[in-house]
Amino acid sequence: RGRWLLGSRLIKRTLPPAIFLAALAAGIQVWNVLSPEVYAIKGLPLRSFALSTTFVGLLLVFRTNGSYQRFKEGLTSFVECLYANRNLVRQALAWLTPEEALLRERFLEYSAAWSFTLTYHLLYDREEPGDIQVLRDGLASVGCKPVTIDRITAAHNRPTYVAQTLSLLVARSSVSEQKKTEMDRVLTKLLDAMGKCERLRQHPIPISYTRLTSYTLLFWSLGLAFAITPPLGIAGVPVILFLSLALLGIEDVGVQIEEPFNYLPLWEMCFANSMELWEMKRQALDIARNQAAWDSDLADSMTLWQTQGTEGARMSNGWSPDFSAAADAQAAAHEGHGDDIMPRAPPLYLSEAVRREYGAAVGGDEALPYGDEQTRQTQLGEDGQAVRGGG
């Protein structure tokens, strides 16, 4: 965030050993200047370091690649948890009936709390007495009720408790068995991603491998100071400082990202996800209002068809109330022949009951059952285009 270079945490961690190596190089140069030539440090052969450079480079590559794979898997698994949580809420908002408003609210509340319980479970595997307050504050910040917070914090494995509660809420809902199965599939995916996160947290990279890399770089840098300083003189001091910062910095990055949940901003991600869930609820309410308004307009159109008969159907098909003389003449020409100039088949997007009422309004007793499959196929030509009944 625009930090000054020396304020970087990476520089703060790697600068002390780098300064120590640079001071060692400066001390070697001072000793060679002040001491007699017989006691001067001649330095180590550079050829040996040229041969070992490949080994050190491969060691760093394997170290950082392994750490980055863990970081990538941890980030992917945690994001999958958030996406599955969001998808589950979407299904609940779409499938739960208005009579299940209380069930929907509780479902949304526990869904918003789930990511916080997972984050606390990953970061505080060894819980201290005062650590639980962090979780309570996080749950309160996303609108969880005090009784819900008490129930969640009293559980041993809190993410599993919340997931089990969501499963029971799904089982108690009135949605169909097919939809319950689909929601249970999303919950299973949620717990699978949680298991991946737990595996990364509980099985870190062996400490012996980390120590091997650190000690190898440290002793290799010490030997490099004795090899570079005598031939380069005082110019070897900044060279040692730069090389030490680069090599130790790469190794430090590998150490940091091998534990992705200590490096990622999990709390911020959880808060953003929970806010998105409450926003989905608001959007679902807006969509329901718009749908209700659309249904009301459709009902008004049906009333118009039923009361005005053929004329209402003609108006609904785009005809102007002020019929032209040509339109009146065409209607008179078809009068008595049982063949309306308006399409006898209603639009295909209407439901079966609506199509039957439409047909009754347009055709009277001779109206066909427009809801059956045979009539629906009649409305479609061979090329799949809608065919008008009397056009």
Side-chain angles (χ1 to χ4, degrees), residues 78 86 173 240 267 291 387:
F78 191 82
R86 194 179 306 175
S173 64
I240 290 296
W267 293 112
Q291 184 69 23
V387 178

Side-chain angles (χ1 to χ4, degrees), residues 3-331:
R3 256 187 214 146
W4 189 42
L5 180 61
L6 294 180
S8 171
R9 288 179 293 180
L10 176 63
I11 296 298
K12 288 181 178 180
R13 289 191 296 265
T14 58
L15 191 59
I19 291 178
F20 168 75
L21 293 173
L24 177 62
I28 294 174
Q29 179 62 22
V30 171
W31 174 266
N32 289 341
V33 170
L34 298 180
S35 64
E37 185 176 357
V38 66
Y39 297 111
I41 299 175
K42 302 300 181 181
L44 300 176
L46 289 175
R47 181 174 298 179
S48 60
F49 286 90
L51 295 176
S52 62
T53 301
T54 303
F55 167 74
V56 174
L58 290 176
L59 183 65
L60 282 177
V61 168
F62 292 148
R63 180 75 173 86
T64 53
N65 282 349
S67 299
Y68 181 73
Q69 290 299 324
R70 288 177 56 86
F71 176 80
K72 183 179 179 181
E73 186 177 359
L75 176 61
T76 303
S77 302
F78 191 82
V79 171
E80 284 180 0
C81 293
L82 300 183
Y83 288 169
N85 189 16
R86 194 179 306 175
N87 194 28
L88 190 65
V89 171
R90 177 191 60 81
Q91 293 174 339
L93 293 174
W95 293 343
L96 294 180
T97 61
E99 290 75 14
E100 297 174 314
L102 181 60
L103 185 65
R104 188 191 304 114
E105 289 293 328
R106 183 163 298 181
F107 193 93
L108 186 59
E109 183 180 13
Y110 275 90
S111 297
W114 188 84
S115 58
F116 282 88
T117 59
L118 176 61
T119 298
Y120 184 84
H121 180 68
L122 295 175
L123 296 181
Y124 296 89
D125 49 350
R126 298 179 180 178
E127 185 176 324
E128 299 295 335
D131 293 340
I132 194 63
Q133 188 61 36
V134 178
L135 178 60
R136 299 183 68 91
D137 294 340
L139 295 177
S141 65
V142 293
C144 292
K145 299 177 182 178
V147 62
T148 303
I149 296 176
D150 293 338
R151 291 172 180 172
I152 292 176
T153 54
H156 176 66
N157 192 322
R158 299 175 182 91
T160 306
Y161 170 78
V162 175
Q164 184 67 22
T165 303
L166 293 175
S167 299
L168 295 176
L169 293 176
V170 171
R172 293 175 57 184
S173 64
S174 61
V175 300
S176 64
E177 292 299 326
Q178 181 181 3
K179 293 179 180 179
K180 288 182 179 179
T181 303
E182 182 63 27
M183 297 180 74
D184 185 73
R185 186 180 296 111
V186 177
L187 276 169
T188 303
K189 183 179 180 181
L190 192 72
L191 291 179
D192 289 343
M194 170 186 164
K196 295 179 182 178
C197 295
E198 289 180 328
R199 176 175 57 82
L200 289 174
R201 183 63 176 176
Q202 297 172 2
H203 301 86
I205 292 180
I207 190 65
S208 58
Y209 184 62
T210 302
R211 289 176 177 174
L212 173 64
T213 307
S214 301
Y215 293 160
T216 300
L217 284 177
L218 179 60
F219 288 112
W220 190 83
S221 300
L222 284 173
L224 187 63
F226 283 93
I228 288 182
T229 305
L232 294 182
I234 196 62
V237 177
V239 172
I240 290 296
L241 180 63
F242 174 76
L243 292 177
S244 301
L245 285 174
L247 295 176
L248 297 178
I250 294 174
E251 196 270 339
D252 183 77
V253 169
V255 172
Q256 296 300 317
I257 65 176
E258 73 179 12
E259 295 297 334
F261 304 118
N262 293 335
Y263 190 81
L264 293 171
L266 299 184
W267 293 112
E268 290 79 1
M269 296 169 67
C270 292
F271 185 79
N273 179 73
S274 299
M275 292 298 100
E276 182 66 24
L277 298 183
W278 292 110
E279 178 65 17
M280 290 174 63
K281 175 191 174 184
R282 186 191 66 79
Q283 293 174 355
L285 294 176
D286 292 341
I287 294 173
R289 295 190 191 99
N290 296 335
Q291 184 69 23
W294 187 86
D295 292 341
S296 177
D297 294 341
L298 182 61
D300 294 342
S301 300
M302 286 304 308
T303 303
L304 181 64
W305 289 334
Q306 294 173 356
T307 55
Q308 297 186 3
T310 305
E311 184 183 52
R314 293 172 64 184
M315 294 173 61
S316 68
N317 199 37
W319 286 72
S320 172
D322 300 329
F323 297 108
S324 62
D328 292 337
Q330 187 178 8

